[in-house]
Amino acid sequence: MPKYLLLLLSTFAMACSPVPDGENAEHAMAMRAQSGGGADASLLDAMNEEPEDCLLMVWSNQQSRDIEFDRANDLVDGGAISCATNTSASQFQAAIDALRAAARSGDKARMLEQLGLPLLYIDRDGEQVELDDDQIDALYDEVFDARLIGAIERLDLSRMTVVPERGGFFELGSIWLVVDKAGGRPRLVTVNRQALDEAAGAARRKAQDRQGEPVPDL
């Protein structure tokens, strides 16, 4: 591992704790001297700005990073994506884009590529089962029916809720994305049909309460 990354990790051993601006700048200068500039200068420059310790830790585990996007989209319901999930908003966005594209394509193989197996499936009665490769293949049409595909097509990063050390979820917990390594891209690991039905009912009631607005087809 490059020396400047070792310095970065030691500097932020107490992640998510504030670092005084002056001390932050001194560390950045020290690391730049060690690295001699280069491709990771953007990460070093980031330390001269407003301290965001969790993001800096996440970026240190990534070969490439989107600093501007990650800063602008780190905060969602539940807190900071970087602190709760140990990865960045851009990685979640990449996963969402891939899931939405797979759902729209109708290609089963593309959707299976986005799953983290075993997939935890919770049916309408609340029964839980972990589906492996063979099981998800056999039950694919039941799990990924029109309602779930529609929910995946509507995924929006700004509507995600994060839970520390558990991941990010959508639609009242219907869809969970979880990261398996620091700085990595999350995968779809849980489908909760019971929660999806509850989310659809809540959305329908909300739409009905708004006079003159059509009820969404969920």
Short mmCIF file of all heavy atoms in Angstrom, two decimals, residues 91-133:
data_model
loop_
_atom_site.label_atom_id
_atom_site.label_comp_id
_atom_site.label_asym_id
_atom_site.label_seq_id
_atom_site.Cartn_x
_atom_site.Cartn_y
_atom_site.Cartn_z
N GLN A 91 -21.31 5.00 -5.45
CA GLN A 91 -21.39 3.55 -5.59
C GLN A 91 -22.84 3.07 -5.49
O GLN A 91 -23.26 2.17 -6.21
CB GLN A 91 -20.53 2.87 -4.52
CG GLN A 91 -19.04 3.00 -4.73
CD GLN A 91 -18.58 2.28 -5.98
OE1 GLN A 91 -19.03 1.19 -6.30
NE2 GLN A 91 -17.66 2.90 -6.72
N PHE A 92 -23.60 3.67 -4.60
CA PHE A 92 -25.03 3.35 -4.53
C PHE A 92 -25.73 3.77 -5.82
O PHE A 92 -26.60 3.05 -6.32
CB PHE A 92 -25.68 4.03 -3.33
CG PHE A 92 -25.69 3.19 -2.08
CD1 PHE A 92 -24.67 3.32 -1.14
CD2 PHE A 92 -26.68 2.25 -1.86
CE1 PHE A 92 -24.66 2.52 0.00
CE2 PHE A 92 -26.68 1.46 -0.73
CZ PHE A 92 -25.67 1.59 0.21
N GLN A 93 -25.37 4.94 -6.35
CA GLN A 93 -25.99 5.39 -7.59
C GLN A 93 -25.69 4.45 -8.74
O GLN A 93 -26.56 4.16 -9.57
CB GLN A 93 -25.52 6.80 -7.93
CG GLN A 93 -26.25 7.42 -9.12
CD GLN A 93 -27.74 7.58 -8.87
OE1 GLN A 93 -28.14 8.22 -7.90
NE2 GLN A 93 -28.56 6.97 -9.72
N ALA A 94 -24.45 3.94 -8.80
CA ALA A 94 -24.09 2.99 -9.85
C ALA A 94 -24.91 1.72 -9.73
O ALA A 94 -25.36 1.15 -10.75
CB ALA A 94 -22.60 2.67 -9.76
N ALA A 95 -25.12 1.25 -8.50
CA ALA A 95 -25.93 0.05 -8.28
C ALA A 95 -27.39 0.29 -8.68
O ALA A 95 -28.02 -0.57 -9.31
CB ALA A 95 -25.85 -0.38 -6.82
N ILE A 96 -27.91 1.46 -8.31
CA ILE A 96 -29.29 1.81 -8.67
C ILE A 96 -29.45 1.88 -10.18
O ILE A 96 -30.43 1.36 -10.74
CB ILE A 96 -29.69 3.14 -8.00
CG1 ILE A 96 -29.84 2.94 -6.49
CG2 ILE A 96 -30.97 3.70 -8.61
CD1 ILE A 96 -30.00 4.23 -5.72
N ASP A 97 -28.51 2.51 -10.86
CA ASP A 97 -28.57 2.62 -12.31
C ASP A 97 -28.58 1.24 -12.97
O ASP A 97 -29.34 0.98 -13.92
CB ASP A 97 -27.39 3.43 -12.84
CG ASP A 97 -27.47 4.91 -12.49
OD1 ASP A 97 -28.58 5.36 -12.12
OD2 ASP A 97 -26.44 5.61 -12.58
N ALA A 98 -27.73 0.34 -12.46
CA ALA A 98 -27.65 -1.01 -13.03
C ALA A 98 -28.94 -1.79 -12.77
O ALA A 98 -29.43 -2.51 -13.66
CB ALA A 98 -26.46 -1.75 -12.44
N LEU A 99 -29.50 -1.65 -11.58
CA LEU A 99 -30.75 -2.33 -11.26
C LEU A 99 -31.91 -1.81 -12.13
O LEU A 99 -32.71 -2.60 -12.66
CB LEU A 99 -31.09 -2.14 -9.78
CG LEU A 99 -30.37 -3.06 -8.80
CD1 LEU A 99 -30.52 -2.53 -7.38
CD2 LEU A 99 -30.90 -4.48 -8.90
N ARG A 100 -31.98 -0.51 -12.27
CA ARG A 100 -33.06 0.06 -13.08
C ARG A 100 -32.94 -0.35 -14.54
O ARG A 100 -33.95 -0.69 -15.19
CB ARG A 100 -33.04 1.59 -12.95
CG ARG A 100 -33.39 2.09 -11.56
CD ARG A 100 -33.32 3.59 -11.43
NE ARG A 100 -34.33 4.24 -12.27
CZ ARG A 100 -34.51 5.56 -12.33
NH1 ARG A 100 -33.75 6.35 -11.60
NH2 ARG A 100 -35.44 6.06 -13.08
N ALA A 101 -31.72 -0.37 -15.05
CA ALA A 101 -31.51 -0.79 -16.43
C ALA A 101 -31.88 -2.25 -16.62
O ALA A 101 -32.50 -2.63 -17.63
CB ALA A 101 -30.05 -0.55 -16.83
N ALA A 102 -31.51 -3.09 -15.65
CA ALA A 102 -31.84 -4.52 -15.73
C ALA A 102 -33.35 -4.72 -15.68
O ALA A 102 -33.90 -5.55 -16.42
CB ALA A 102 -31.16 -5.28 -14.60
N ALA A 103 -34.03 -3.97 -14.80
CA ALA A 103 -35.48 -4.10 -14.68
C ALA A 103 -36.18 -3.69 -15.98
O ALA A 103 -37.12 -4.35 -16.44
CB ALA A 103 -35.98 -3.26 -13.51
N ARG A 104 -35.72 -2.61 -16.56
CA ARG A 104 -36.34 -2.12 -17.80
C ARG A 104 -36.08 -3.04 -18.98
O ARG A 104 -36.88 -3.11 -19.91
CB ARG A 104 -35.83 -0.71 -18.10
CG ARG A 104 -36.36 0.34 -17.12
CD ARG A 104 -35.62 1.65 -17.25
NE ARG A 104 -36.16 2.66 -16.34
CZ ARG A 104 -35.54 3.79 -16.03
NH1 ARG A 104 -34.34 4.04 -16.53
NH2 ARG A 104 -36.09 4.64 -15.19
N SER A 105 -34.94 -3.74 -18.95
CA SER A 105 -34.59 -4.61 -20.08
C SER A 105 -35.42 -5.88 -20.11
O SER A 105 -35.58 -6.50 -21.16
CB SER A 105 -33.10 -4.98 -19.99
OG SER A 105 -32.87 -5.92 -18.94
N GLY A 106 -35.93 -6.30 -18.94
CA GLY A 106 -36.64 -7.56 -18.86
C GLY A 106 -35.73 -8.77 -18.98
O GLY A 106 -36.20 -9.89 -19.13
N ASP A 107 -34.43 -8.53 -18.87
CA ASP A 107 -33.44 -9.59 -19.02
C ASP A 107 -33.15 -10.21 -17.65
O ASP A 107 -32.56 -9.57 -16.78
CB ASP A 107 -32.15 -9.01 -19.62
CG ASP A 107 -31.14 -10.08 -19.99
OD1 ASP A 107 -31.09 -11.12 -19.32
OD2 ASP A 107 -30.38 -9.86 -20.95
N LYS A 108 -33.55 -11.45 -17.48
CA LYS A 108 -33.37 -12.15 -16.21
C LYS A 108 -31.90 -12.24 -15.82
O LYS A 108 -31.53 -12.02 -14.66
CB LYS A 108 -33.98 -13.54 -16.31
CG LYS A 108 -33.82 -14.41 -15.09
CD LYS A 108 -34.48 -15.75 -15.33
CE LYS A 108 -34.28 -16.70 -14.17
NZ LYS A 108 -34.93 -18.01 -14.41
N ALA A 109 -31.05 -12.55 -16.79
CA ALA A 109 -29.62 -12.70 -16.50
C ALA A 109 -29.02 -11.39 -15.99
O ALA A 109 -28.20 -11.40 -15.06
CB ALA A 109 -28.87 -13.16 -17.76
N ARG A 110 -29.43 -10.27 -16.57
CA ARG A 110 -28.92 -8.97 -16.12
C ARG A 110 -29.35 -8.68 -14.69
O ARG A 110 -28.57 -8.13 -13.89
CB ARG A 110 -29.40 -7.86 -17.05
CG ARG A 110 -28.73 -7.83 -18.40
CD ARG A 110 -29.20 -6.66 -19.24
NE ARG A 110 -28.83 -5.37 -18.68
CZ ARG A 110 -29.11 -4.20 -19.26
NH1 ARG A 110 -29.79 -4.18 -20.41
NH2 ARG A 110 -28.73 -3.07 -18.70
N MET A 111 -30.57 -9.04 -14.35
CA MET A 111 -31.04 -8.81 -12.99
C MET A 111 -30.29 -9.70 -12.00
O MET A 111 -29.88 -9.24 -10.92
CB MET A 111 -32.55 -9.07 -12.89
CG MET A 111 -33.12 -8.80 -11.51
SD MET A 111 -32.92 -7.08 -10.95
CE MET A 111 -34.06 -6.26 -12.08
N LEU A 112 -30.07 -10.95 -12.35
CA LEU A 112 -29.37 -11.86 -11.44
C LEU A 112 -27.95 -11.38 -11.15
O LEU A 112 -27.43 -11.64 -10.07
CB LEU A 112 -29.35 -13.27 -12.04
CG LEU A 112 -30.71 -13.98 -12.11
CD1 LEU A 112 -30.56 -15.34 -12.78
CD2 LEU A 112 -31.31 -14.15 -10.72
N GLU A 113 -27.35 -10.68 -12.10
CA GLU A 113 -25.99 -10.17 -11.90
C GLU A 113 -25.93 -9.11 -10.80
O GLU A 113 -24.86 -8.87 -10.23
CB GLU A 113 -25.45 -9.56 -13.20
CG GLU A 113 -25.13 -10.60 -14.28
CD GLU A 113 -24.71 -9.95 -15.57
OE1 GLU A 113 -24.76 -8.69 -15.65
OE2 GLU A 113 -24.32 -10.68 -16.50
N GLN A 114 -27.06 -8.49 -10.49
CA GLN A 114 -27.08 -7.41 -9.51
C GLN A 114 -27.41 -7.89 -8.09
O GLN A 114 -27.42 -7.10 -7.16
CB GLN A 114 -28.13 -6.35 -9.91
CG GLN A 114 -27.99 -5.83 -11.32
CD GLN A 114 -26.60 -5.32 -11.63
OE1 GLN A 114 -26.00 -4.62 -10.81
NE2 GLN A 114 -26.08 -5.66 -12.80
N LEU A 115 -27.64 -9.19 -7.94
CA LEU A 115 -28.06 -9.72 -6.65
C LEU A 115 -26.86 -10.16 -5.81
O LEU A 115 -25.86 -10.63 -6.33
CB LEU A 115 -29.00 -10.91 -6.84
CG LEU A 115 -30.23 -10.71 -7.72
CD1 LEU A 115 -31.08 -11.96 -7.72
CD2 LEU A 115 -31.03 -9.51 -7.26
N GLY A 116 -27.03 -10.02 -4.50
CA GLY A 116 -26.08 -10.60 -3.57
C GLY A 116 -26.69 -11.88 -3.02
O GLY A 116 -27.74 -11.85 -2.37
N LEU A 117 -26.12 -13.02 -3.33
CA LEU A 117 -26.69 -14.30 -2.94
C LEU A 117 -26.00 -14.85 -1.70
O LEU A 117 -24.79 -14.67 -1.54
CB LEU A 117 -26.58 -15.29 -4.11
CG LEU A 117 -27.36 -14.90 -5.37
CD1 LEU A 117 -27.12 -15.93 -6.47
CD2 LEU A 117 -28.85 -14.78 -5.08
N PRO A 118 -26.75 -15.52 -0.82
CA PRO A 118 -28.18 -15.82 -0.97
C PRO A 118 -29.04 -14.57 -0.80
O PRO A 118 -28.72 -13.69 -0.01
CB PRO A 118 -28.44 -16.84 0.14
CG PRO A 118 -27.43 -16.51 1.19
CD PRO A 118 -26.21 -16.08 0.44
N LEU A 119 -30.14 -14.53 -1.54
CA LEU A 119 -31.08 -13.42 -1.48
C LEU A 119 -32.12 -13.73 -0.41
O LEU A 119 -32.76 -14.79 -0.44
CB LEU A 119 -31.77 -13.23 -2.83
CG LEU A 119 -32.86 -12.15 -2.88
CD1 LEU A 119 -32.23 -10.77 -2.91
CD2 LEU A 119 -33.77 -12.35 -4.09
N LEU A 120 -32.26 -12.83 0.55
CA LEU A 120 -33.30 -13.00 1.58
C LEU A 120 -34.63 -12.57 1.00
O LEU A 120 -34.81 -11.41 0.63
CB LEU A 120 -32.97 -12.18 2.82
CG LEU A 120 -34.02 -12.22 3.94
CD1 LEU A 120 -34.22 -13.65 4.46
CD2 LEU A 120 -33.66 -11.28 5.08
N TYR A 121 -35.57 -13.52 0.92
CA TYR A 121 -36.90 -13.24 0.38
C TYR A 121 -37.93 -13.39 1.49
O TYR A 121 -37.99 -14.42 2.16
CB TYR A 121 -37.22 -14.19 -0.77
CG TYR A 121 -38.62 -14.05 -1.32
CD1 TYR A 121 -39.06 -12.82 -1.79
CD2 TYR A 121 -39.48 -15.14 -1.36
CE1 TYR A 121 -40.36 -12.68 -2.30
CE2 TYR A 121 -40.77 -15.01 -1.88
CZ TYR A 121 -41.20 -13.78 -2.34
OH TYR A 121 -42.47 -13.63 -2.84
N ILE A 122 -38.72 -12.34 1.70
CA ILE A 122 -39.79 -12.35 2.70
C ILE A 122 -41.10 -12.24 1.94
O ILE A 122 -41.34 -11.25 1.24
CB ILE A 122 -39.63 -11.18 3.69
CG1 ILE A 122 -38.25 -11.25 4.36
CG2 ILE A 122 -40.74 -11.21 4.74
CD1 ILE A 122 -37.93 -10.04 5.22
N ASP A 123 -41.95 -13.26 2.05
CA ASP A 123 -43.18 -13.27 1.27
C ASP A 123 -44.27 -12.44 1.93
O ASP A 123 -44.05 -11.80 2.98
CB ASP A 123 -43.65 -14.71 1.00
CG ASP A 123 -44.08 -15.45 2.27
OD1 ASP A 123 -44.37 -14.79 3.30
OD2 ASP A 123 -44.14 -16.70 2.23
N ARG A 124 -45.46 -12.44 1.36
CA ARG A 124 -46.55 -11.60 1.86
C ARG A 124 -47.01 -11.98 3.25
O ARG A 124 -47.62 -11.17 3.96
CB ARG A 124 -47.73 -11.67 0.88
CG ARG A 124 -47.48 -10.94 -0.43
CD ARG A 124 -48.71 -10.98 -1.33
NE ARG A 124 -48.56 -10.11 -2.47
CZ ARG A 124 -47.98 -10.48 -3.60
NH1 ARG A 124 -47.51 -11.71 -3.72
NH2 ARG A 124 -47.87 -9.62 -4.61
N ASP A 125 -46.74 -13.21 3.67
CA ASP A 125 -47.12 -13.66 5.00
C ASP A 125 -46.01 -13.47 6.03
O ASP A 125 -46.16 -13.85 7.19
CB ASP A 125 -47.52 -15.15 4.97
CG ASP A 125 -48.74 -15.38 4.08
OD1 ASP A 125 -49.65 -14.54 4.10
OD2 ASP A 125 -48.77 -16.41 3.37
N GLY A 126 -44.90 -12.90 5.60
CA GLY A 126 -43.80 -12.66 6.51
C GLY A 126 -42.84 -13.83 6.65
O GLY A 126 -41.90 -13.77 7.45
N GLU A 127 -43.05 -14.88 5.88
CA GLU A 127 -42.15 -16.03 5.92
C GLU A 127 -40.84 -15.69 5.21
O GLU A 127 -40.84 -15.11 4.12
CB GLU A 127 -42.80 -17.25 5.25
CG GLU A 127 -44.02 -17.77 5.97
CD GLU A 127 -43.71 -18.32 7.35
OE1 GLU A 127 -42.62 -18.91 7.53
OE2 GLU A 127 -44.55 -18.15 8.26
N GLN A 128 -39.72 -16.07 5.84
CA GLN A 128 -38.40 -15.74 5.31
C GLN A 128 -37.70 -16.98 4.76
O GLN A 128 -37.77 -18.04 5.37
CB GLN A 128 -37.52 -15.11 6.39
CG GLN A 128 -38.10 -13.85 7.01
CD GLN A 128 -37.16 -13.24 8.03
OE1 GLN A 128 -35.96 -13.49 8.04
NE2 GLN A 128 -37.71 -12.41 8.91
N VAL A 129 -37.03 -16.81 3.64
CA VAL A 129 -36.23 -17.88 3.07
C VAL A 129 -35.04 -17.28 2.34
O VAL A 129 -35.15 -16.22 1.72
CB VAL A 129 -37.06 -18.75 2.09
CG1 VAL A 129 -37.63 -17.92 0.95
CG2 VAL A 129 -36.24 -19.92 1.57
N GLU A 130 -33.89 -17.91 2.48
CA GLU A 130 -32.70 -17.46 1.77
C GLU A 130 -32.58 -18.27 0.48
O GLU A 130 -32.48 -19.50 0.52
CB GLU A 130 -31.44 -17.63 2.65
CG GLU A 130 -31.40 -16.66 3.82
CD GLU A 130 -30.08 -16.71 4.55
OE1 GLU A 130 -29.31 -17.67 4.36
OE2 GLU A 130 -29.79 -15.76 5.31
N LEU A 131 -32.58 -17.58 -0.64
CA LEU A 131 -32.58 -18.22 -1.95
C LEU A 131 -31.16 -18.26 -2.52
O LEU A 131 -30.51 -17.23 -2.66
CB LEU A 131 -33.50 -17.46 -2.91
CG LEU A 131 -34.96 -17.28 -2.44
CD1 LEU A 131 -35.74 -16.47 -3.47
CD2 LEU A 131 -35.62 -18.63 -2.20
N ASP A 132 -30.71 -19.47 -2.87
CA ASP A 132 -29.41 -19.61 -3.52
C ASP A 132 -29.59 -19.53 -5.03
O ASP A 132 -30.69 -19.22 -5.52
CB ASP A 132 -28.73 -20.92 -3.11
CG ASP A 132 -29.56 -22.15 -3.46
OD1 ASP A 132 -30.44 -22.06 -4.34
OD2 ASP A 132 -29.31 -23.22 -2.86
N ASP A 133 -28.55 -19.82 -5.79
CA ASP A 133 -28.61 -19.68 -7.25
C ASP A 133 -29.75 -20.48 -7.86
O ASP A 133 -30.52 -19.97 -8.69
CB ASP A 133 -27.28 -20.14 -7.87
CG ASP A 133 -26.15 -19.18 -7.55
OD1 ASP A 133 -25.99 -18.18 -8.25
OD2 ASP A 133 -25.44 -19.45 -6.57
#
